[in-house]
Amino acid sequence: INFDDVEELMPRLLPVESCDTEEYNSNEPPRNPQEYLRQVQREASLCPDVVVAQIDPKKLKMKQSVNVSITGCLAAPQGFSPCLKWQQQQVSKFSEVRQSVNKHRQHWKSQFLDDNVVMPKMEDEDGWKRFCLGENVCLDIQLKEEDKVNLSLDYIKTGFPPFLSIVSKLNQSTISAVLDYLINWFEERDFVPQLGRWLYALLACLEKPLLPEAHSLIRQLARRCSAVRANLESKDDDRLSALNLMICIVARYFEQNDLADKE
């Protein structure tokens, strides 16, 4: 179908009177509404019927769609899940932390970071893993006890703690991205203290209502925590409390009730 056919099929909401070409020069700015409408009509007639966009695949996000799994958490071994009172206490504490972070965000956001704190760019997945977890964890370097004491303040090796002066500078897109990087890392590896600290801090900065991507991520986190918990051999395992806390925050605070531990 050509342009003239379309004009015949569609009513003209703004009819344009014909004008003398000698009086109207399309290369000059329109002098009145009539000339403006004539110019718009002329430009429209010069547009091709079909336009093909030139898309650079490299600029497209790798994950265009979001799949939210409705599968629940694995049941905890007998005696490994927390009571309802404990869960309510943790939700209350977490809510207070979020309120405090939000209240003081602008103050901490304005604080200058030390010269040794170089935050990665949002899309630098490996950089964020090293920044949060440290080279020792990311490279799976096994240390002796005496080495751990000596490296306690070597943040390149042990990972930077989620100081308020750091997390307050992260926008919601970066928070979601770092959560994505850390949770995907956790999918294939064990739970470590550095991971727990960063997950708690990022969740404390995550704004409601959740975006679909964040909704999917936190559910993935809770399910992974339940899977690790299901394989623990003792209730005295240092990881148990942290795993229960992550599941509790996702299920109880962020209202993913189907993932919650039941009494």
Side-chain angles (χ1 to χ4, degrees):
I1 189 168
N2 60 38
F3 182 78
D4 293 335
D5 293 334
V6 173
E7 283 200 320
E8 290 176 4
L9 291 172
M10 298 175 63
R12 294 188 179 186
L13 299 180
L14 292 172
V16 181
E17 297 177 1
S18 60
C19 60
D20 193 335
T21 54
E22 293 181 0
E23 295 179 2
Y24 170 59
N25 187 342
S26 62
N27 294 323
E28 295 180 357
R31 295 168 296 184
N32 53 54
Q34 203 69 23
E35 288 186 0
Y36 171 73
L37 293 174
R38 171 60 62 182
Q39 183 173 320
V40 171
Q41 187 184 65
R42 181 177 179 277
E43 290 177 352
S45 68
L46 296 176
C47 292
D49 293 337
V50 178
V51 178
V52 179
Q54 299 299 319
I55 299 174
D56 183 359
K58 295 179 181 179
K59 294 183 179 180
L60 294 175
K61 288 182 65 178
M62 293 181 65
K63 296 181 179 179
Q64 293 283 336
S65 58
V66 177
N67 296 317
V68 179
S69 175
I70 59 173
T71 57
C73 289
L74 293 178
Q78 185 67 34
F80 281 56
S81 61
C83 65
L84 181 59
K85 182 178 180 181
W86 182 91
Q87 295 180 60
Q88 292 170 338
Q89 290 173 341
Q90 301 312 313
V91 169
S92 178
K93 290 178 182 178
F94 183 69
S95 179
E96 291 175 3
V97 169
R98 283 174 61 91
Q99 291 174 18
S100 179
V101 169
N102 190 53
K103 180 179 179 180
H104 300 291
R105 183 186 300 275
Q106 291 305 318
H107 167 75
W108 287 108
K109 189 176 181 179
S110 64
Q111 301 300 303
F112 289 102
L113 299 175
D114 293 338
D115 293 338
N116 67 325
V117 183
V118 180
M119 295 171 63
K121 294 182 179 179
M122 185 180 74
E123 63 273 12
D124 185 2
E125 181 171 354
D126 288 337
W128 275 109
K129 290 175 182 176
R130 289 177 182 245
F131 185 86
C132 300
L133 306 176
E135 290 184 351
N136 292 339
V137 169
C138 290
L139 301 178
D140 198 22
I141 298 174
Q142 302 298 323
L143 298 174
K144 298 178 181 178
E145 287 300 321
E146 55 268 24
D147 294 331
K148 293 180 180 178
V149 174
N150 296 332
L151 288 173
S152 59
L153 293 179
D154 187 349
Y155 294 140
I156 302 298
K157 299 290 186 183
T158 63
F160 287 89
F163 295 126
L164 281 173
S165 55
I166 293 177
V167 296
S168 294
K169 289 180 169 60
L170 306 181
N171 58 32
Q172 290 299 300
S173 296
T174 304
I175 290 171
S176 293
V178 179
L179 269 175
D180 188 15
Y181 301 152
L182 295 180
I183 292 171
N184 286 334
W185 180 90
F186 182 35
E187 281 288 346
E188 300 176 357
R189 295 168 183 82
D190 203 354
F191 190 90
V192 294
Q194 297 97 313
L195 177 67
R197 288 193 287 267
W198 268 97
L199 290 174
Y200 189 92
L202 292 170
L203 290 174
C205 296
L206 194 61
E207 293 179 356
K208 282 185 170 184
L210 296 178
L211 295 173
E213 295 87 346
H215 179 262
S216 177
L217 279 172
I218 64 171
R219 289 183 63 84
Q220 180 184 348
L221 170 61
R223 289 195 302 271
R224 174 57 182 163
C225 287
S226 73
V228 174
R229 181 179 65 181
N231 289 317
L232 297 182
E233 296 180 354
S234 169
K235 289 185 286 187
D236 296 325
D237 195 301
D238 292 337
R239 296 167 292 176
L240 179 58
S241 180
L243 294 169
N244 282 338
L245 180 58
M246 291 295 111
I247 297 170
C248 173
I249 290 172
V250 170
R252 300 292 185 182
Y253 184 84
F254 288 104
E255 300 172 301
Q256 306 300 306
N257 296 318
D258 61 304
L259 304 179
D261 285 314
K262 309 297 192 295
E263 289 204 88

